[in-house]
Structure formats: structure tokens, C-alpha cells
Amino acid sequence: MHGTGRPTAQALLLVANRDEYYARPTMPLHWWSDEDILAGRDQQAGGTWLGVSQSGHLAALTNYRDPHNQRDDAASRGEVVSHFLRTSGTAEDYLNGLRHRAKDDNPFNLLVFDGNRLMGLESRHARILNLPEGVGAVSNADFHAPWPKQIELANCLQQLIRQGRPDDAGLLALLQNRNVAADTALPDTGIGLPLERALSSAFVSLPGYGTRASSVVRVGTSAIEFVEHGFDANGPMQMQRVVLAGK
């Protein structure tokens, strides 16, 4: 789940949660030894869910929730994030090249920022979106789908921005909200009401599965700040903050 905003004096603000099985091996936020990429890393498949590059590119991905349309032989979706971070081209060029190949992957939503334009891709429709200035959010359905958690996150993020430059503590508090939505507001994605309810909070905590990382990324005119607070089955882990200057 991601929320994005464009407060003044800042090109992009992104807040995001990564939900995953606790058993899936993961490296926390770090500089990749073989790339100019700052991101966590999925040690099972090698890709990532959210990252930035030294050149100022940013990419983030959410899986599209569709339990009846999943292929076990598909490539890891995290590769489309790291592939963009390796490029020096534009967001538009990358998405145009990816849109028709993406049908071979399990469905996903991809958010990319090249320093100038913020764009999205809905892989199942091969649809590219130009994302305008303002506040928006995407979860595990199409962009702009009215899921309760993303509506609440976008509204709360907008309120914080109106009050001034939101600090990391306030933004992380939004991501760590455990309130579940009313049953009448829940989507029906084929996983059953109890699980829909449990996954409707911004911060997810279930046996064996939950929010593994809460992230705040600020892309400015001269630097990128990346904050990640990690979690495992036992609770909070170390928080990291990395600043990339002179991009």
C-alpha cells in the first residue's frame, strides 16, 4: 500500500507498507553491493518492492489481489522495480516497454518516478497512468479503487500536509494504524470475509503474515531521504534512515 503527496519544496513524498509472509527471507534497507540501488531486497527472488537509485529514480510495486489468477511459474514481480532503478531513461519509456510484457507476470501495480514525472502501470490492463500533482494512494486493486485503507491513508496524509511539513513520526504513525474497516466497506476479492477484514487495516499483523516494513521516502531537489522501520513476527525491528545527496 502506498500513499503519495507533493507538498511544496519537495518533488515527491511517498509512504508505504510492505506486507509479506514472515518466513520469506528479506534483507532490510541497504545499498546493494552490485548496483547503485538503495532498497530492501527479497532474498528468495532477488527483486524489491520499493527502492531508489543514485540517479534519482524511484519505483514501488503492489501485487494485485486475485487468488484465482496466480501462476506459480511466473517471474518475480519485484524484478520490474529493480529493472527501472537500473535505467537512466524516462518513466514513460520504461512503462511503454513494459506494458505488453507484463501479461506474463502475475498482476501488479507499478509506480515509477524519474525525477520529473510520476506514472503508474496496471499490468492486468496494460494501462499506463499519468499521476497528477496532489495526493493519491494505491493498494492491491487498480489505481484509484476505493478501498477503505487507501482512502483513509490518503485523507490523513492530506491533513498532515495541510498542517505543514509532516515529520517521520507522524507519517509512520499513519502506516502503523491497526484499525480495521467496517464489513460493509470491504472489497470482495475472493479470500473470505474474515481475511478481508484482517487485511483492511493499514498495518497488518496475522499469524505468519503481516507488515514487514513501513517506509517514508522524500524526494527533494537536491537529496532523497529514505526511512524504513522493519518488523518481523516478534514485533518492531531497527529503524533506518539514509540520505542520498547530490542526485
Side-chain angles (χ1 to χ4, degrees):
M1 177 185 66
H2 309 298
T4 61
R6 305 258 191 113
T8 58
Q10 188 165 276
L12 179 70
L13 167 66
L14 183 143
V15 296
N17 273 346
R18 181 217 183 195
D19 301 336
E20 185 53 87
Y21 291 100
Y22 295 122
R24 185 156 183 148
T26 299
M27 294 182 67
L29 181 69
H30 68 288
W31 281 107
W32 293 12
S33 61
D34 53 343
E35 311 275 2
D36 287 331
I37 291 174
L38 176 66
R41 198 163 195 174
D42 173 21
Q43 292 177 281
Q44 180 170 309
T48 187
W49 57 96
L50 166 63
V52 298
S53 67
Q54 188 67 56
S55 64
H57 282 194
L58 175 148
L61 177 141
T62 63
N63 295 339
Y64 184 92
R65 189 187 300 164
D66 183 359
H68 304 298
N69 185 25
Q70 299 291 316
R71 292 174 42 204
D72 293 337
D73 62 342
S76 170
R77 288 166 282 196
E79 288 296 326
V80 301
V81 175
S82 51
H83 284 169
F84 177 70
L85 298 178
R86 295 184 184 103
T87 70
S88 57
T90 67
E92 183 175 18
D93 287 346
Y94 182 74
L95 295 185
N96 278 327
L98 176 64
R99 64 189 299 183
H100 296 299
R101 302 195 311 271
K103 67 181 183 300
D104 297 326
D105 297 323
N106 286 319
F108 63 84
N109 300 309
L110 179 65
L111 187 76
V112 292
F113 182 63
D114 60 14
N116 295 301
R117 296 180 69 184
L118 180 68
M119 304 183 71
L121 171 68
E122 295 170 349
S123 72
R124 71 193 195 104
H125 304 303
R127 181 169 69 169
I128 295 173
L129 298 91
N130 289 294
L131 301 174
E133 188 169 326
V135 173
V138 61
S139 189
N140 302 108
D142 292 339
F143 281 84
H144 312 306
W147 279 22
K149 64 163 57 176
Q150 72 187 64
I151 293 172
E152 182 175 10
L153 176 63
N155 289 340
C156 292
L157 179 58
Q158 182 71 74
Q159 292 176 15
L160 284 182
I161 292 171
R162 286 173 180 163
Q163 295 168 9
R165 190 178 191 271
D167 60 19
D168 295 339
L171 294 170
L172 290 171
L174 296 184
L175 294 172
Q176 294 166 18
N177 184 347
R178 297 175 184 243
N179 294 335
V180 299
D183 288 355
T184 55
L186 296 174
D188 181 3
T189 63
I191 60 174
L193 180 59
L195 190 52
E196 294 281 13
R197 185 187 301 124
L199 296 177
S200 71
S201 57
F203 189 93
V204 175
S205 181
L206 294 169
Y209 181 90
T211 299
R212 299 282 303 273
S214 294
S215 303
V216 176
V217 186
R218 306 174 191 271
V219 182
T221 56
S222 60
I224 300 175
E225 300 177 23
F226 199 140
V227 175
E228 179 186 277
H229 192 185
F231 302 86
D232 63 14
N234 297 316
M237 300 168 63
Q238 183 176 3
M239 185 182 299
Q240 296 191 72
R241 181 176 182 270
V242 181
V243 178
L244 292 68
K247 69 178 184 62

